[in-house]
């Protein structure tokens, strides 16, 4: 009797463990971009523009100019992992710049592909295998850059620009870094100004080359950094001044904003820096 009771007890434990294992199955969460698009459709359907790219649909928030006359068009590229309503100043600029006479397009940033290295056919050598590249690998950074430029091109191709309009690109963080690399390759696009906010690349080798890339950017460049940015970014910003002197980029300006990039007062100062820079062009 005691043996049968123990047997039944162990069978009950096994059944309960099996049920617990089934209940704890991992469910893949929805992509960030999909959740953002659902929210944008719900709350900003009157401003939302969906564009088709090779990677799928990209959400863009459009705000028309609200001043007496139109000055141009601003395309906003938030930092990696942030949406069109980024709290680091771009959400504020998307509305504030309309009062200054600009149409604004705030793009949705691509989904981060942490498995981009799996598509790399080349096998690393023994020396490369243990070399730390940084938070992002080359493959991941290239994948992000390709998707971001695809989204930018989709917006750029549908712009209606007159000869009097300025075309300005404002990019932040990693987006500013990869877009700087793109502009340094001298693409066949017409941009009147580029504003980089806390530009950086989360890859050691690529970030070392960022100052040289910024010095080769053809349009006038306003380089914004914050006092609370990381030390690596501040050291990189010092090198940018040296490179622009070497390559004689006279239309380069660097400004430091003191405080956090999420503070409302810094948003206002950021707007003034942009407006002053663009009026001098």
């Amino acid at each position: 009797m005691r043996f049968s009771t123990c047997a039944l007890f162990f069978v009950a434990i096994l059944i309960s463990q099996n049920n617990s294992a089934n209940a704890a199955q991992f469910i893949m969460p929805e992509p960030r971009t999909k959740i953002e698009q659902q929210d944008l459709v719900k709350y900003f359907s009157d401003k939302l523009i969906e564009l088709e790219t090779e990677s799928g649909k990209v959400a863009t928030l459009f705000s028309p100019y609200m001043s007496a006359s139109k000055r141009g068009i601003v395309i906003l590229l938030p930092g990696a992992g942030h949406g069109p309503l980024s709290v680091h100043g771009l959400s504020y600029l998307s509305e504030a710049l309309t009062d200054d006479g600009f149409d604004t397009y705030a793009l949705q940033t691509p989904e981060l592909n942490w498995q981009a290295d799996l598509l790399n056919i080349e096998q690393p050598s023994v020396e490369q295998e243990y070399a730390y590249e940084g938070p992002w690998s080359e493959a991941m950074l290239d994948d992000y850059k390709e998707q971001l430029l695809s989204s930018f091109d989709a917006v750029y191709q549908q712009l209606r620009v007159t000869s009097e309009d300025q075309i300005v690109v404002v990019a932040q963080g990693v987006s500013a870094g990869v877009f700087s690399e793109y502009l340094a390759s001298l693409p066949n696009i017409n941009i009147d100004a580029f504003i980089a906010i806390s530009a950086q690349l989360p890859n050691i080798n690529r970030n070392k080359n960022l100052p040289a890339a910024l010095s080769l950017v053809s349009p006038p460049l306003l380089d914004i950094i914050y006092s609370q940015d990381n030390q690596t970014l501040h050291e990189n910003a010092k090198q940018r001044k040296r490179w622009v002197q070497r390559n004689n980029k006279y239309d380069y300006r660097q400004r430091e904003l003191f405080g956090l990039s999420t503070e409302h007062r810094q948003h206002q100062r950021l707007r003034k820096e942009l407006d002053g820079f663009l009026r001098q062009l």
Side-chain angles (χ1 to χ4, degrees), residues 59-186:
T60 305
L61 286 182
F62 169 72
S63 299
Y65 75 97
M66 299 298 292
S67 61
S69 59
K70 183 180 178 182
R71 292 172 57 188
I73 299 170
V74 175
I75 301 175
L76 302 167
L77 306 177
H82 296 282
L85 298 177
S86 171
V87 297
H88 296 279
L90 269 66
S91 178
Y92 174 83
L93 290 179
S94 66
E95 291 293 334
L97 291 178
T98 61
D99 295 332
D100 297 332
F102 292 95
D103 288 342
T104 62
Y105 293 84
L107 272 67
Q108 184 180 35
T109 55
E111 193 75 30
L112 305 184
N113 183 11
W114 296 100
Q115 298 180 338
D117 283 324
L118 298 179
L119 302 178
N120 189 6
I121 300 177
E122 297 183 2
Q123 296 296 326
S125 63
V126 177
E127 293 79 8
Q128 293 174 333
E129 187 174 358
Y130 298 102
Y132 178 67
E133 294 184 274
W136 290 25
S137 65
E138 288 267 1
M140 182 180 176
L141 193 59
D142 288 338
D143 180 82
Y144 181 85
K145 179 179 179 179
E146 181 180 353
Q147 292 189 65
L148 183 71
L149 293 179
S150 178
S151 302
F152 169 80
D153 186 64
V155 174
Y156 183 83
Q157 294 299 329
Q158 60 94 42
L159 296 180
R160 296 180 180 179
V161 185
T162 66
S163 58
E164 299 179 353
D165 288 342
Q166 289 180 330
I167 302 180
V168 182
V169 176
V170 180
Q172 192 172 48
V174 179
S175 298
V178 296
F179 199 79
S180 299
E181 292 182 330
Y182 171 64
L183 291 179
S185 66
L186 303 178

Side-chain angles (χ1 to χ4, degrees), residues 6-281:
C6 293
L8 291 175
F9 177 76
F10 284 116
V11 170
I13 292 177
L14 291 175
I15 294 176
S16 63
Q17 289 180 344
N18 186 45
N19 291 336
S20 300
N22 292 334
Q25 288 182 352
F26 176 75
I27 300 176
M28 182 66 69
E30 285 190 306
R32 172 190 60 84
T33 51
K34 184 176 180 180
I35 297 174
E36 281 181 359
Q37 289 175 2
Q38 293 172 351
D39 291 339
L40 293 173
V41 169
K42 182 176 180 179
Y43 297 106
F44 301 96
S45 58
D46 57 330
K47 296 183 178 181
L48 187 63
I49 299 176
E50 291 187 345
L51 301 172
E52 289 288 346
T53 68
E54 295 179 356
S55 304
K57 290 184 178 180
V58 174
T60 305
L61 286 182
F62 169 72
S63 299
Y65 75 97
M66 299 298 292
S67 61
S69 59
K70 183 180 178 182
R71 292 172 57 188
I73 299 170
V74 175
I75 301 175
L76 302 167
L77 306 177
H82 296 282
L85 298 177
S86 171
V87 297
H88 296 279
L90 269 66
S91 178
Y92 174 83
L93 290 179
S94 66
E95 291 293 334
L97 291 178
T98 61
D99 295 332
D100 297 332
F102 292 95
D103 288 342
T104 62
Y105 293 84
L107 272 67
Q108 184 180 35
T109 55
E111 193 75 30
L112 305 184
N113 183 11
W114 296 100
Q115 298 180 338
D117 283 324
L118 298 179
L119 302 178
N120 189 6
I121 300 177
E122 297 183 2
Q123 296 296 326
S125 63
V126 177
E127 293 79 8
Q128 293 174 333
E129 187 174 358
Y130 298 102
Y132 178 67
E133 294 184 274
W136 290 25
S137 65
E138 288 267 1
M140 182 180 176
L141 193 59
D142 288 338
D143 180 82
Y144 181 85
K145 179 179 179 179
E146 181 180 353
Q147 292 189 65
L148 183 71
L149 293 179
S150 178
S151 302
F152 169 80
D153 186 64
V155 174
Y156 183 83
Q157 294 299 329
Q158 60 94 42
L159 296 180
R160 296 180 180 179
V161 185
T162 66
S163 58
E164 299 179 353
D165 288 342
Q166 289 180 330
I167 302 180
V168 182
V169 176
V170 180
Q172 192 172 48
V174 179
S175 298
V178 296
F179 199 79
S180 299
E181 292 182 330
Y182 171 64
L183 291 179
S185 66
L186 303 178
N188 186 24
I189 58 173
N190 178 30
I191 293 178
D192 295 289
F194 176 50
I195 289 89
I197 304 174
S198 299
Q200 57 186 314
L201 293 171
N203 181 279
I204 295 175
N205 292 329
R206 295 277 281 272
N207 202 52
K208 287 181 180 178
N209 297 327
L210 183 58
L214 285 166
S215 70
L216 298 175
V217 168
S218 179
L221 171 60
L222 176 61
D223 189 10
I224 299 287
I225 61 175
Y226 285 89
S227 60
Q228 299 297 326
D229 285 332
N230 60 69
Q231 187 61 33
T232 301
L233 196 154
H234 279 273
E235 292 296 328
N236 194 272
K238 294 178 183 178
Q239 296 300 319
R240 297 172 197 176
K241 293 181 179 180
R242 300 181 64 189
W243 273 95
V244 296
Q245 290 178 357
R246 174 180 176 178
N247 291 330
N248 298 323
K249 184 169 177 56
Y250 300 113
D251 53 3
Y252 172 88
R253 299 290 182 274
Q254 187 178 111
R255 296 289 183 269
E256 181 175 355
L257 303 184
F258 298 92
L260 297 173
S261 60
T262 55
E263 293 179 0
H264 186 71
R265 289 180 299 176
Q266 299 306 319
H267 295 171
Q268 294 173 338
R269 187 180 174 192
L270 176 63
R271 174 190 179 182
K272 291 181 180 179
E273 291 287 352
L274 266 65
D275 185 59
F277 179 74
L278 295 177
R279 289 187 184 277
Q280 293 178 0
L281 298 181

